[in-house]
Amino acid sequence: MAAGSGGKDQSHKAHRSSQAGASSKSHKAKARKAGANGAAVVRGGWNPNLAGNDDMARAGRGKKRQREGQGAVASQESDKPKQPLTKMEKVDRKKRRRLGEDSALAEQKRQNPKAFAFTSSGKAKKMQSRAVEKEQRKLHIPSIDRTYGEPAPYVVVVQGPPKVGKSLLIKSLIKHYTKHNLPEVRGPISVVSGKKRRVQFVECPNDINGMIDAAKYADLALLLIDGSYGFEMETFEFLNILQVHGFPKVMGVLTHLDQFKDVKKLKKTKERLKHRFWTEIYDGAKLFYLSGLIHGKYPKREVHNLARFISTKKFHPLSWRTSHPYVLVDRFEDVTPLERVRENSKCDRNVTVYGYLRGCNLKREMKVHVAGVGDFSLSGVTALPDPCPLPSAAKKKGLRDKEKLFYGPMSGLGDLLYDKDAVYININDHFVQFSKANDEEGDVENKGKNQDVGEALVKSLQNTKYSLDEKLQESFISLFSRNKNLLPEHQGSNNKIEDHMIDMEAAKQGDLVEETEPDGPTKSDTEDSDGSASSDNNDAAPEKLAFTEHVELHGGRLRRKAMFENDYDDTEKDSHDGIEDDHDGDTKISDDDVSSSDSDSSEEDGEVEKLDDDHMGNMSRWKESLTERTGLRKSTNLMQLVYGNSASSMELRAQEKLDTIDNVDSDEEDFFKLKGEGDKKQKGQNDAYFDAEDCSKCMKYTGQNWKEVNIYERIRDRFVTGNWSNAARRNELSVGDAEDESSNDDDDAAVDGEFEDLETGEKYGSTETGPQEEDDRAAEKRRLKKLALRAKFDAQFDVSESMEDEEDEKRGFTSMDSEANQSSYIEKLKEESELLKQKNIAELNELDEESRLAIEGFRTGTYMRLEIQNVPFEMVEHFDPYHPLLVGGIGFGEENVGYMQVRLKRHRWNKKILKTKDPIVLSIGWRRYQTTPVYAIEDRNGRHRMLKYTPEHMHCLAMFWGPLAPPNTGVVAVQNLSNNQASFRISATATVLESNHAAKIMKKIKLVGYPCKIFKKTALITDMFTSDLEIARFEGAAVRTVSGIRGQVKKAAKKEVGNHSNSKGVIPKEGIARCTFEDKILMSDIVFLRAWTQVDVPQFYNPLTTALQPRETIWHGMKTMAELRREHSLPLPTNKDSMYKPIERFPRKFNKLVISKQLQKDLPFESKPKDIPNRRKPLLERRRAVIMEGAERQVHALVQQLQFIKNEKVKKQKLTKERKRKLHEVEEAKAEEVSKKRRREERRDRYRVEDKLKKKLRGRN
Amino acid sequence: MGKVNYKKMKGSQNLRQRLLLSTLSGTPILVEDIRADDKFPGLRPHEVSLLRLFDRVTDDCVVEINDTGTKFKYKPGVVMGGRRVAHDCGVSRAIGYFLEPLIVLGLFGKKPLEIRLKGITNDSKDPCVDTFRSTTLPILKRFGVPSEGLDLKIESRGVPPLGGGEVVLSVPIVQALSAVTWIDEGMVKRIRGWTFSAKVSSQFEIQMIHAARGIFNNLLPDVHIFTDHKAGLQAGNSPGYGISLVAETNAGCCISADTTISYARGDDVGDMEDEKKELKPPQDVGEDMASALLEEIELGGVVDSSHQGLLFLLCALCPPDISKIRVGKLMPYGVETLRQIKDFLGVEFNIKMDTSTKTVILKCMGCGLKNLSRKSS
């Protein structure tokens, strides 16, 4: 295995360097010679202990190193489940073997130390630095885990090309976990897989959109690969998507291995696929083999093993997901009123989605993005009881059958469906025994007390004979008795049907039941009074039965509402009823209180004063508790004062509106009144409140005389000159106070007996209780720290590690100390983050449920019901359970739209480069949208220069318009969404660099002009600009001619200078610029102006609405230019100037050289042009004829003949030579051909041999 | 592109927090009915100046104000920061008014902010720049803001009505703040102070210090008040004097009180002569401020009453960890801030009265705001 070998390798290396260290000691002289630098490093870097020849120590070290090596290469190793003995033994044997090797090596070393002496200090240094670097690379900044709730089921996405056995695998796994046969895999299926673990299986859809979404919610991806076929593109595409969106755990599963008949071939294929898989992920990534089918199922043993692997996987937090809440929808309901749908089947719908909350806490106000649909704000958020809870405090080893729950409503699994206010029970037909109808006519009420509630409920539901009114009545009677009945059971069992969910929206959300009620406002009134009454006297239940239907109905509904106000009630219970009446009587009073906060604060002041008096005076017990209670009341009041108002401020505003409407008449009367005076009186404080001055300094000082002793003595203890112990107690106590209060809240002990509680006495406590509290605090701190340490330890070391390993750990600790020092910073960070977490948990636990929810939001792991209003009807119509829906929360500023800059690289498997402004589909965060990026690259001076196409093998920048995402978010770009194409679909990957509101990308521009008139060094340039205005913009710009003469644009040319048109009446041409040059230019010169112009990025983005159409159709957005051209069969536009043409160069004609007379005169004679006058007659020498004599003539003739003969000879020789040469050439060519043939054959033979050799070698590997 | 969903608000109250939170959370706002029924309707000059300041510091923010100034739309942009930014704050409110939102805004910018603000440095209405330096900046440091690059330099003083002061504020950027548990208020170990006089005799300062010392002497010997007499160009355009006192506790809390005495803003110039006589004598100023500081100390809490809002805001902007803080009596400004925070960030505080010390303990879980505009390397 590579993991093992890697580890071994490292240990070897380490050995060698440690030997280097050893020899550095023994051969000091040598080391000194090696140079101060190297020696110092060697000496400083290596622990002298290592050089010792103690065998035992080395053995321990070797082992440790081996483990590290494994850890380094593959975190996978730790994932190995505890396997039966065989595996353990194997590991053991391996260890022993390695140990043996080690000891043998040590022995050798002792005998022949010189052989192990290090030869080069430089090499030792290099190796050491490499080792250190490796170590550092392993370290990560610890991320703070902020999930406090029970972890949600881990999502196991099963992905693979079609027909590879995905659903069969899920079916087999479900069967393994729950012993149930799953008919069909639709949507996520949650399963309790262990005592502390649940998993949710999802089948990844086969289209690219589904794959992208699946990659965003997967915790573990099972990549199914058809072994008989090999890898397919889908697997690699999915891997790439995973890598970009935070890399969750990945496990490969090979199927279809029974297609191989040949064992050897099978083995080879496995090996090959494994190595290919490793190169893609990391060496040692787990690839699982499913050998074949038995009775149409995977073999039990293998499924079992796979399940073990799944159940021991550890999941690390991924940064995007830990900062965004998300819900993988496992149930989807359309809750639009039927009437509305009937009226218009295409009206906007209201839907509810259900699922476990993952990622981070969800707050009520949060906006969400529904993948493939769009952004919505949540109109209702409810926590529901877990439909698939973990077994409660299981003592037994495994899971009992009853605890093997599973839940997959989309696949029609699970007998119970929980809703916000209903539970649906699904019973198979053959289990049902219909009860007789007459059974529940009269005695439902009686039975309710002693019968099972669920049964009664169902029975009452079965009864269809009755009208709605009667039914309601009955069901509510039973509900009521249920409430009484269930109270003791409440804590007992989880499996019972209960609706103790937190529900704040009860009033807001229109149910059918509520809608039947005609009188809204009166209802709320009765609710109010009823709520307070019900919570006040719990023993008034019988009285309630006497209420009329309506009231009872409300009473039944109101139970939840009462819970909402629970905390107020709880705390208010302590106080007198009188006070409470004062409160509940009208909320508006408190509103007014706030609006005149000044007066209120003064009121508070008064109270404070009073308290102070109490404090100073003799403190009798009852008074103390009284103050205590007022304090408590005040604390709730504070919350109300601050937030209660804001909730009702809407009301207030609405009321104000009404007021103004009412006031219209009265306003008309005093029409001429000065604005601001008339209204002020009527509206009074409200108006002043809206326009209150924004001032942080608004303290009104009371103006006491601080020179007086009794006044300044009051705060003596707040100074270092005062009593330190008093002051310390002030700080300490109040902390204790807060805790005490909260504990009181938790207990909700609302009994009068609380008055005598000793704790209250302690709060004002005498000095003796002080230290004790202090001790408590210290103890608390210690406890926190301990918890943190434990958690850290747990995180560090796998729980499933074998005992032996742990022992090893302990032994290894001593030698690990040095390393601990190295990574102590990391350790410290880890500790800090863990402490922070524990502190958070402690603080949150102090609060009661209600306020915890308010400040924290819904915890991760809760089963949520999210209501979304006004979604397009297509979403409901085209909802497909095979495509799980992802609902992700949107962080601050992420719904805003702007320019984003990403660092992008075209995927190396994508065949084409990408073109600027061609539409492309991006996946960022939860979103997918189409946009038109402009590619750019950063120049050396920081300018972003536009690129027309992405570079081949380089990163480039891309700027586009779209919803913003935080920096460092991963981006996947896809250009082609269609399924039926062979090529790799992922076009590019990127990370977000920054988000901007302005895009600044420049491109080069070259303005070309021609001189139309040339003065000395000034020229008028035409055709460069089109108007004088343009010239004005470019004044001072540098220009250049082709020949390299530099110049500058001056101004637009004056009309009369160069601009006179040839024929009169024609308007003179605009845009002629006057430029000056460093030298005179020619008329044939071309003048360039090189500048930069900004490229604007199109403000276009188009969210992918794949959930709003049938899933099998391909989403069509904006088309690329190439696609459009192909469709319309348009040719590529070509610029004529860019065409390559043969260069025509005319011979240049120069004018005659003219030398001025003055110059001629000064020139030396040699250089003077010699002026020879034309003669009328030629010279005599030319004119005369030469006549030869006889002998002379003969000689001449002879010479000529001889010459002729010689010429003929030469000619002949030449011809023969030519012929011979030609012949020779032909021969040569023939020979060449032959030799070529021979050489080719030789080469072929050689390659063949080499290939064979290579194959052999590969086979050996 | 697309329709912008504006968050609707009413009235001119809490304009600073609204703009700040709107910018930080990226929610566009629409404020209506700004002094609609007032004799002088619409936005005040300082509010307009604030909008301009936001426009200057951020990139691509859109502000639309209607004709009467009773309604405006604000669409936030990306906080840019940057060096050598300058802004004239006008003379209707002091620089302290602008500093309070700016210092939080600067933390979440793309680049560190260095801005030169001109206007009134000391005023009785807003925290003066001395207090800012001595009290506000240490609060920021508590939340993990690096101390290098966090500075306020006072170049020259300016008091109402004509101003003429100049300060340079530099704020570093952070990726995220860190949550605090800050409930130990400690004991006052020393009192420091700064007095200033501009265009008046430096004797005034000595008188103020003397009077203030007279009160502190009963409680604490470690009192040191620095003087800062300005004349000429550095003294701004109007005469005035003032004092800022800070009590430092052994738990590292700073509690401050300050005031400035000068002539009123000249709405009605005719009264100038009368008002000249009404200026508070320096002895009284010193005594009053010393008393005010003691009163603040008596209230308790880790910050004084004027810094409550900032404290709450910083807590709410932390990563999602629990922050726990203790303040004295909740001030209206603090309460308003709490409401705005809930409105914009969805962060609700758990507020508990601590009866024995008459202080208030607040707990919250931060909203986890990260610096979105920062460039990743």
Side-chain angles (χ1 to χ4, degrees), chain A residues 790-824:
Chain A
R790 190 194 297 159
K792 201 185 73 185
F793 189 81
D794 283 354
Q796 214 166 20
F797 305 111
D798 198 351
V799 192
S800 63
E801 255 182 10
S802 61
M803 282 301 287
E804 192 210 20
D805 272 5
E806 262 170 48
E807 275 174 25
D808 234 34
E809 207 68 57
K810 274 169 203 162
R811 249 186 293 150
F813 251 125
T814 44
S815 57
M816 224 160 65
D817 270 356
S818 57
E819 276 168 55
N821 280 336
Q822 280 171 15
S823 58
S824 64

Side-chain angles (χ1 to χ4, degrees), chain A residues 197-456:
Chain A
R197 180 176 283 236
R198 293 171 292 177
V199 286
Q200 199 164 28
F201 291 104
V202 189
E203 188 181 327
C204 179
N206 269 327
D207 59 324
I208 191 112
N209 288 304
M211 271 155 64
I212 288 173
D213 281 348
K216 289 171 188 172
Y217 54 70
D219 288 316
L220 168 68
L222 295 182
L223 303 178
L224 260 64
I225 300 147
D226 186 344
S228 64
Y229 184 84
F231 283 102
E232 287 171 61
M233 278 302 175
E234 277 91 345
T235 309
F236 290 119
E237 282 167 355
F238 191 63
L239 266 174
N240 275 293
I241 297 167
L242 282 178
Q243 264 161 344
V244 170
H245 292 298
F247 204 7
K249 294 272 169 169
V250 168
M251 210 154 86
V253 180
L254 275 185
T255 61
H256 292 263
L257 290 181
D258 48 354
Q259 308 269 338
F260 290 98
K261 300 290 175 249
D262 187 6
V263 182
K264 211 173 162 189
K265 202 178 167 194
L266 172 67
K267 206 176 151 196
K268 261 186 184 172
T269 318
K270 273 183 177 177
E271 196 76 358
R272 191 166 45 82
L273 291 178
K274 185 172 79 181
H275 277 98
R276 186 66 195 82
F277 192 61
W278 284 3
T279 47
E280 201 56 32
I281 305 177
Y282 57 85
D283 276 1
K286 185 67 203 165
L287 188 61
F288 205 88
Y289 309 108
L290 290 176
S291 57
L293 295 180
I294 296 173
H295 306 307
K297 281 256 159 67
Y298 293 116
K300 265 189 181 172
R301 190 73 232 166
E302 286 170 356
V303 171
H304 175 84
N305 281 346
L306 181 61
R308 290 293 276 280
F309 271 105
I310 292 170
S311 63
T312 49
K313 274 268 185 272
K314 280 191 341 198
F315 302 102
H316 54 266
L318 307 175
S319 70
W320 170 266
R321 294 191 209 171
T322 47
S323 54
H324 294 82
Y326 64 102
V327 169
L328 171 58
V329 174
D330 61 6
R331 191 177 148 211
F332 177 86
E333 306 281 341
D334 179 16
V335 292
T336 329
L338 289 173
E339 184 60 20
R340 226 168 75 197
V341 180
R342 196 186 59 77
E343 278 171 7
N344 177 15
S345 63
K346 295 193 172 176
C347 64
D348 279 357
R349 306 294 176 90
N350 300 347
V351 295
T352 51
V353 294
Y354 300 77
Y356 287 98
L357 179 64
R358 296 185 170 89
C360 68
N361 292 350
L362 176 83
K363 284 192 174 161
R364 235 169 254 290
E365 307 80 18
M366 208 152 205
K367 273 196 146 187
V368 292
H369 176 80
V370 183
V373 184
D375 288 4
F376 297 97
S377 49
L378 294 171
S379 60
V381 187
T382 325
L384 298 182
D386 202 331
C388 189
L390 283 174
S392 52
K395 282 169 210 154
K396 276 174 61 179
K397 245 189 175 176
L399 284 173
R400 280 168 294 169
D401 277 354
K402 256 193 181 173
E403 290 162 350
K404 287 179 178 168
L405 293 169
F406 59 110
Y407 182 71
M410 282 185 191
S411 335
L413 267 187
D415 298 332
L416 293 181
L417 269 187
Y418 291 80
D419 208 335
K420 190 179 71 172
D421 36 23
V423 179
Y424 304 99
I425 306 168
N426 214 352
I427 307 174
N428 280 343
D429 276 350
H430 58 277
F431 288 136
V432 181
Q433 286 180 319
F434 290 102
S435 49
K436 281 157 199 159
N438 61 359
D439 212 32
E440 55 264 49
E441 270 209 354
D443 30 26
V444 166
E445 233 173 292
N446 301 343
K447 274 194 168 183
K449 306 248 167 166
N450 44 26
Q451 213 181 8
D452 191 33
V453 189
E455 201 181 318

Side-chain angles (χ1 to χ4, degrees), chain A residues 547-610:
Chain A
F547 280 148
T548 55
E549 264 174 43
H550 270 278
V551 179
E552 259 180 0
L553 177 64
H554 297 317
R557 282 220 142 281
L558 202 73
R559 298 297 296 183
R560 261 171 272 124
K561 183 130 179 129
M563 273 174 83
F564 168 48
E565 287 167 349
N566 221 1
D567 58 335
Y568 299 139
D569 287 345
D570 277 353
T571 42
E572 274 162 17
K573 267 175 214 161
D574 300 13
S575 54
H576 295 299
D577 284 356
I579 298 169
E580 200 185 329
D581 280 352
D582 196 55
H583 263 283
D584 278 9
D586 203 344
T587 45
K588 260 169 68 185
I589 289 176
S590 63
D591 291 348
D592 287 353
D593 269 9
V594 174
S595 60
S596 59
S597 47
D598 270 11
S599 69
D600 191 73
S601 63
S602 68
E603 211 177 274
E604 251 181 50
D605 261 4
E607 274 172 346
V608 168
E609 290 292 317
K610 199 184 80 196

Side-chain angles (χ1 to χ4, degrees), chain A residues 12-52:
Chain A
H12 273 311
K13 261 185 207 166
H15 254 295
R16 225 182 301 153
S17 39
S18 82
Q19 284 147 18
S23 55
S24 84
K25 221 180 171 193
S26 52
H27 301 260
K28 260 182 189 166
K30 207 173 180 182
R32 221 171 284 147
K33 226 188 277 170
N37 197 13
V41 167
V42 169
R43 222 178 289 142
W46 286 100
N47 194 340
N49 283 344
L50 282 178

Side-chain angles (χ1 to χ4, degrees), chain B residues 28-327:
Chain B
I29 54 171
L30 171 70
V31 183
E32 292 172 316
D33 284 353
I34 302 167
R35 302 194 186 89
D37 299 329
D38 219 17
K39 207 187 284 179
F40 304 103
L43 289 165
R44 295 271 178 274
H46 58 265
E47 286 163 347
V48 175
S49 176
L50 186 71
L51 283 170
R52 278 186 202 290
L53 177 62
F54 269 79
D55 184 38
R56 187 148 301 168
V57 176
T58 61
D59 190 7
D60 193 39
C61 89
V62 180
V63 181
E64 276 177 54
I65 308 177
N66 73 347
D67 291 344
T68 49
T70 53
K71 183 175 163 184
F72 77 89
K73 278 181 189 172
Y74 174 75
K75 193 167 153 281
V78 174
V79 186
M80 291 304 284
R83 333 196 82 222
R84 293 197 198 88
V85 189
H87 179 72
D88 192 358
C89 298
V91 289
S92 67
R93 281 296 282 267
I95 287 174
Y97 175 86
F98 300 90
L99 282 178
E100 282 177 2
L102 196 60
I103 199 158
V104 183
L105 195 68
L107 294 176
F108 294 93
K110 201 180 276 281
K111 276 174 261 167
L113 176 72
E114 190 191 297
I115 187 166
R116 181 176 291 268
L117 297 167
K118 286 175 194 166
I120 295 167
T121 56
N122 295 62
D123 190 7
S124 51
K125 225 189 225 172
D126 292 303
C128 72
V129 285
D130 300 304
T131 314
F132 217 81
R133 245 166 61 154
S134 59
T135 316
T136 315
L137 299 186
I139 291 176
L140 284 176
K141 281 174 196 165
R142 277 252 170 190
F143 285 86
V145 179
S147 53
E148 62 261 26
L150 184 64
D151 191 27
L152 182 73
K153 233 188 274 169
I154 302 167
E155 308 257 293
S156 62
R157 299 265 178 191
V159 294
L162 294 175
E166 208 172 297
V167 296
V168 178
L169 173 76
S170 35
V171 192
I173 55 168
V174 291
Q175 192 166 23
L177 300 169
S178 58
V180 293
T181 303
W182 199 10
I183 46 171
D184 184 13
E185 48 202 344
M187 289 183 287
V188 178
K189 64 175 177 188
R190 62 175 174 220
I191 291 175
R192 291 287 174 269
W194 289 264
T195 61
F196 81 94
S197 53
K199 294 199 181 233
V200 293
S201 161
S202 64
Q203 200 58 34
F204 280 39
E205 297 185 55
I206 292 158
Q207 284 173 8
M208 278 190 284
I209 291 168
H210 189 76
R213 266 182 171 284
I215 284 179
F216 292 138
N217 272 346
N218 296 323
L219 292 160
L220 195 71
D222 190 359
V223 178
H224 199 285
I225 301 173
F226 303 93
T227 60
D228 181 17
H229 176 67
K230 297 276 187 197
L233 272 180
Q234 285 200 312
N237 302 332
S238 312
Y241 53 92
I243 185 168
S244 153
L245 296 167
V246 179
E248 289 170 38
T249 70
N250 55 4
C253 311
C254 294
I255 289 158
S256 69
D258 64 57
T259 193
T260 300
I261 301 300
S262 69
Y263 298 113
R265 283 194 181 78
D267 277 342
D268 18 32
V269 190
D271 301 339
M272 209 55 161
E273 291 306 305
D274 297 335
E275 290 208 21
K276 249 180 189 171
K277 285 160 204 160
E278 281 170 21
L279 283 190
K280 225 179 196 177
Q283 288 96 333
D284 290 3
V285 174
E287 262 180 30
D288 283 357
M289 272 307 107
S291 311
L293 183 69
L294 293 183
E295 230 168 276
E296 290 275 11
I297 292 168
E298 192 191 13
L299 278 180
V302 290
V303 294
D304 53 47
S305 56
S306 63
H307 284 95
Q308 279 180 6
L310 180 73
L311 185 68
F312 298 153
L313 195 62
L314 289 173
C315 282
L317 293 176
C318 280
D321 291 318
I322 298 284
S323 292
K324 197 172 172 187
I325 44 170
R326 180 208 295 269
V327 294

Side-chain angles (χ1 to χ4, degrees), chain A residues 146 148 323 361 363 365 594 597-598 604-605 608 612 628 631 634-635 638-639 641-643 645-646 656 674-677 679-680 683 687 689-704 706-707 712 714-721 724 727 730-731 734-735 737 741-742 745 836 839-840 843-844 846-847 851 854-856 892-893 896 901 903 961 966-968 992-997 1099-1101, chain B residues 1 10-17 25-26 33-39 59-60 77-78 93 97 100 110 124-127 181 183-189 215 218-221 250 258 287 291-292 294-300 305-306 319-322 324 326 329-333 335-336 338-339 342 344-360 363 365 367 369-370 372 374-377:
Chain A
R146 289 196 173 97
Y148 308 129
S323 54
N361 292 350
K363 284 192 174 161
E365 307 80 18
V594 174
S597 47
D598 270 11
E604 251 181 50
D605 261 4
V608 168
D612 230 65
E628 190 70 21
K634 202 186 277 176
S635 78
L638 273 177
M639 282 290 276
L641 272 177
V642 176
Y643 293 124
N645 182 38
S646 69
E656 201 201 8
L674 188 59
K675 200 88 163 130
E677 281 179 16
D679 268 359
K680 229 174 213 170
K683 289 191 186 171
D687 220 27
Y689 171 72
F690 279 135
D691 288 331
E693 186 141 43
D694 191 3
C695 191
S696 65
K697 224 169 86 174
C698 53
M699 177 76 176
K700 300 234 168 16
Y701 300 111
T702 45
Q704 292 159 325
W706 285 90
K707 281 178 182 164
Y712 74 70
R714 265 191 347 222
I715 60 166
R716 167 67 78 190
D717 288 342
R718 294 293 322 276
F719 286 81
V720 283
T721 49
W724 278 64
R730 179 186 151 90
N731 286 329
S734 45
V735 177
D737 252 5
E741 272 174 28
S742 64
D745 279 354
L836 188 67
K839 218 168 66 186
N840 285 347
E843 291 288 349
L844 285 172
E846 267 177 24
L847 303 168
S851 43
I855 74 168
E856 188 195 25
F892 290 111
N896 292 350
Q901 197 183 70
R903 191 194 296 122
W961 172 262
N968 287 329
V992 177
L993 291 183
E994 62 178 329
S995 48
N996 260 336
H997 272 268
Q1099 293 200 344
F1100 164 81
Y1101 89 94
Chain B
M1 202 173 139
K10 245 180 165 191
S12 69
Q13 55 153 350
N14 308 108
L15 188 74
R16 286 186 294 172
Q17 284 132 325
S25 67
D33 284 353
I34 302 167
R35 302 194 186 89
D37 299 329
D38 219 17
K39 207 187 284 179
D59 190 7
D60 193 39
V78 174
R93 281 296 282 267
Y97 175 86
E100 282 177 2
K110 201 180 276 281
S124 51
K125 225 189 225 172
D126 292 303
T181 303
I183 46 171
D184 184 13
E185 48 202 344
M187 289 183 287
V188 178
K189 64 175 177 188
I215 284 179
N218 296 323
L219 292 160
L220 195 71
N250 55 4
D258 64 57
E287 262 180 30
S291 311
L294 293 183
E295 230 168 276
E296 290 275 11
I297 292 168
E298 192 191 13
L299 278 180
S305 56
S306 63
D321 291 318
I322 298 284
K324 197 172 172 187
R326 180 208 295 269
K329 209 169 67 180
L330 272 183
M331 289 289 125
Y333 181 75
V335 171
E336 281 304 324
L338 287 177
R339 285 182 195 150
K342 197 192 172 193
F344 280 95
L345 303 176
V347 172
E348 199 175 319
F349 281 69
N350 186 270
I351 309 164
K352 272 224 170 87
M353 188 79 187
D354 183 9
T355 35
S356 61
T357 53
K358 283 158 285 169
T359 51
V360 182
K363 254 190 249 179
M365 186 176 255
C367 70
L369 186 81
K370 276 183 193 147
L372 278 183
R374 224 185 69 150
K375 191 178 175 180
S376 87
S377 51

